[in-house]
Amino acid sequence: MRYSILLLILFAEIGLFTVIGGQRVDSMSEIGRYLTLYFSDILAQSAPVLLLAFGMTLVLMTAGIDLSVASMVALIACVMSSFDPGIGFWWTAVPVGLVLGLLLGLTNGLLIARLDIPPIIATLGTMILYRGLCFVVMGDLEKAPFLDVPGYEWFGQFLGAVFVIAMIYLAAGSYLNGSRWLREILMIGGNRVAARYAGVPVTRRLCEVYAVAGFMAFLAALCFTARNSSVSGSSLTGLELHVIVAVVLGGTRVQGGAGTWIGSFLGVLILSVLDEGLRGASVWGEKHLPFKISHIEFLVLGVLLAAGVWMNTRFQDRNP
Amino acid sequence: MSGLLLELDSIAKSFGGIAALKPVQLKLRAGEVLGLVGENGAGKSTLIKILSGVERPDSGQILWNGHAVAFESPFQALEAGIATIHQELAYFGRLSVAENLMMGDPWPRYRWGGVNWKDLHREAKTRLNRCGLNIPTHRLFNELSSAQKQEIAIARALSRKSRLLILDEPTASLSEPEVERLFSQLNKLRRQGVSILYVSHRLDEILELTDRVAVLRDGELVASYSTNSVDLNRIVKDMVGRPLDQVFPRNRASEIGSPMLELRGVSRSPFFYDISFKAHAGEIVGLAGLVGAGRSGLARAIYGLYPIESGKMCLLGREWRPRSPCEAVRSGLVYLPEERKRQGFVLDHSVRDSISIGFSDLITKCGLIPRRLEDSRVEAACRRFSIRTSSIRQPIRTLSGGNQQKCLLARWLDRDPAVIVLDEPTRGVDIGAKAEIHALIDQLAGQGKAVLLISSDLPEVLGMSDRILVMHRGRVSDELRGERMTQENVIMAASGMCAK
């Protein structure tokens, strides 16, 4: 039910932007080729958000939220960019990025689970903190060592992006779906008191979830730097909002206790298509609209978030 | 004594077809202190609610000062001169004593509309002084002790020139000296001609304070006598009244095994102090007492929800200092919480998930739960516990209370725990399911598990247990075995009077 609505929105968007963008599609085979090209591009483009959305889904399942994801990606990318390019990058910068991601996530987890700070406040704090660290590490510079690393650009291309995404969404996702770990996470999100009474190690699980979000930030940093090739202290500002909107749109309840990765995946695609479409429609917009079309992006995001939350309460009783 | 202040004439009230109060007659003279006693569910709260205007009676009438009255709201009752101090004090914790005291009265104001705080505090102070209280009026309500809060509540009630003061379990959270102070306060009021309706579980207090005692049982006023001419045993007998007519299963062998759980001098203030007992294999130990006596607190400490402060616990012969329920469950000690909905389940989750959370860690392979094995185990559990559900994928919220309770039991039993702590296992459960749960508990003890049964249901705790520990104000006040296991003895010990 919910998936069909999401798919409907997705294809309506694509259709609309194809028409506005003036793309000429005449035959079925051409439509097919166009869509393939379109999706491979979108997928590679939105790989970082997709990865972050995976972690965010887990976090929302525990009735938490992680506002610091974009800052984490930026900080990991900044730290990695300070290493020398070359083949040695693979066994210096990349492991450092991985450990950093886990540590940053774990910090969030400890603040929330051990010190009992509400997730929204804890991660708001670390969002600002991690962003501040970005500037400490980078200053005003913009660094671009990534494309000089042999083999690194693979993560930014279609194949690499699809591989990473498939590993996460298909392999890890289906593993978790059958796992006791996810059951415990959902129980914590649905009723933390009951989870504790049922013998679930609540503190530990919460730390793990936020650490997973940190790991996803590391993977997202790989994909992002490989595609954009450069990073600065202010990279990816505001990306966490995209991630949260996408996940909520995908049917994960902010109150915790329920959620799916397929929904989050579709949610991210809807936002990416929108993003891409608005950019493509700018020429059309200049002719027909009194404002710049890229300026309405936040407006649309806001509407989508409200709509997503409404849909979640409306269809609460059924699983999507 | 002067004339009649209040008369209840055949007051009756029922909720959803169940009579909470059968036609009740009650008289109260001016300046009289009447104690109202009865077991849980005897109708005391309903009576108070009717008198204080919260509920309206279905039939009968209230004569107040000789006139028939019908209170439409608590405010009207208050206006008429009936002040009620409920068990849970409804006050504003973040406001000052003066503000709380004056709430609902017109406040002194300047001409431009602002509050004249100086006058407000002065007025509050005079009101407190009139009651012989000396509490700084600038203090926040939250900073006061429970006794002071109570005193403020009484002072507030009296500032309205109330002629009847209703107190519902006023001493539930007070310490001994605080109780003394409350009593001297109440005695002062009595001399001023205020009538008091004093509702309490604590019979010692009733005997000390009241002029007359009325006993409610199952919604009926069964007895009423002047306090001077009655003794404790008579009151207790009237409270209990009915013989034990329920039949409890007992198919287990009567011999008991080795000690499974042992407590020696375990304390955690302010919940429980110096608790010592042993629970043996194959034994059901009942834990009786009033609500708030510290039974649930003790159970939670044994389960690892919070640490104990002193003393020693042993589980299966080894020292037991659990840091979390997780550790308790793995070591073979499980706990069924008293509030199913809040502490037991995620109500949206399926019956299967709710049950298998208790044992699926035993069957996981590489972290994965084998679906088929899980389903068959859950289905087997549903059959064994006769949990009535159309599908194990049904949300747990759609089940009746009794079935939910059985799910909670089913959750743990695949683990084969050594010690089971049950906290009010049949509260809010219909009679049929109750009998099934009793049979299950008996069966568990028969399998050699040690069962700790916390229950406020007297017949249940008497019928099921091999022996009973009665708690009073955080301490074990009596241990009953064999012939001493009677309702009278439990009530005596629970209200703090040991009948040796």
Side-chain angles (χ1 to χ4, degrees), chain B residues 476-495:
Chain B
V476 173
S477 57
D478 203 356
E479 181 175 343
L480 307 170
R481 319 167 170 262
E483 297 203 328
R484 291 194 57 231
M485 280 173 48
T486 61
Q487 302 196 53
E488 287 82 0
N489 282 342
V490 173
I491 290 183
M492 294 262 203
S495 51

Side-chain angles (χ1 to χ4, degrees), chain A residues 175 178 180 183 191 197 253 257, chain B residues 303 345 357 360 366 369 374:
Chain A
Y175 171 79
R180 176 175 161 89
R183 290 267 182 88
N191 185 344
Y197 275 81
R253 282 173 53 191
Chain B
Y303 191 48
F345 298 114
I357 191 76
S360 61
C366 312
I369 305 173
E374 183 194 14

Side-chain angles (χ1 to χ4, degrees), chain B residues 407-451:
Chain B
C407 286
L408 219 44
L409 261 172
R411 170 186 285 177
W412 295 128
L413 295 189
D414 254 29
R415 300 196 78 92
D416 202 23
V419 181
I420 301 175
V421 184
L422 303 163
D423 199 347
E424 304 287 357
T426 59
R427 178 185 286 172
V429 165
D430 62 280
I431 295 176
K434 216 169 177 171
E436 284 174 355
I437 291 171
H438 288 152
L440 281 168
I441 296 173
D442 176 59
Q443 209 180 321
L444 289 174
Q447 288 163 6
K449 305 178 194 318
V451 179

Side-chain angles (χ1 to χ4, degrees), chain A residues 263-283:
Chain A
S264 302
F265 186 85
L266 292 175
V268 173
L269 283 193
I270 288 176
L271 290 198
S272 303
V273 167
L274 182 75
D275 236 18
E276 192 64 26
L278 288 179
R279 209 170 304 144
S282 58
V283 180

Side-chain angles (χ1 to χ4, degrees), chain A residues 174-181 183-184 186-187 190-191 193-194 196-201 253 257-258 317, chain B residues 300 303 305 325-326 335 341-343 345-346 348-349 352-353 356-357 360-361 366-369 371 374 411-412:
Chain A
S174 57
Y175 171 79
L176 286 180
N177 267 334
S179 71
R180 176 175 161 89
W181 191 79
R183 290 267 182 88
E184 296 187 343
L186 288 170
M187 190 162 185
N191 185 344
V193 176
R196 198 158 148 66
Y197 275 81
V200 173
R253 282 173 53 191
D317 291 346
Chain B
R300 285 180 207 147
Y303 191 48
L305 278 155
C326 183
Y335 172 63
K341 292 203 163 73
R342 201 174 70 78
Q343 299 165 336
F345 298 114
V346 183
D348 290 340
H349 286 185
R352 182 194 62 189
D353 291 9
S356 80
I357 191 76
S360 61
D361 55 322
C366 312
L368 290 172
I369 305 173
R371 277 289 153 89
E374 183 194 14
R411 170 186 285 177
W412 295 128

Side-chain angles (χ1 to χ4, degrees), chain B residues 41-98:
Chain B
K44 291 173 302 191
S45 318
T46 313
L47 192 65
I48 296 171
K49 279 181 186 157
I50 288 173
L51 280 177
S52 60
V54 178
E55 300 275 357
R56 254 156 282 171
D58 293 341
S59 62
Q61 63 174 347
I62 304 172
L63 293 172
W64 174 247
N65 260 337
H67 304 286
V69 287
F71 299 129
E72 299 283 325
S73 69
F75 184 72
Q76 281 186 10
L78 205 57
E79 285 288 282
I82 300 180
T84 308
I85 295 167
H86 293 280
Q87 207 170 341
E88 303 290 328
L89 297 175
Y91 281 87
F92 303 92
R94 311 279 313 176
L95 296 185
S96 69
V97 167

Side-chain angles (χ1 to χ4, degrees), chain B residues 113-154:
Chain B
V115 174
N116 185 342
W117 291 104
K118 221 185 225 168
D119 279 5
L120 181 79
H121 281 281
R122 194 179 304 134
E123 170 67 22
K125 198 159 206 156
T126 48
R127 287 189 188 192
L128 286 179
N129 285 341
R130 216 179 297 148
C131 302
L133 295 176
N134 189 18
I135 300 170
T137 56
H138 284 279
R139 293 275 296 281
L140 288 188
F141 198 73
N142 268 346
E143 293 171 356
L144 303 179
S145 70
S146 347
Q148 284 175 319
K149 287 178 185 171
Q150 201 112 50
E151 286 165 353
I152 299 282
I154 294 173

Side-chain angles (χ1 to χ4, degrees), chain A residues 66-83:
Chain A
D66 190 348
L67 297 177
S68 72
V69 283
S71 299
M72 283 200 279
V73 177
L75 181 56
I76 295 165
C78 286
V79 168
M80 281 166 64
S81 75
S82 58
F83 284 83

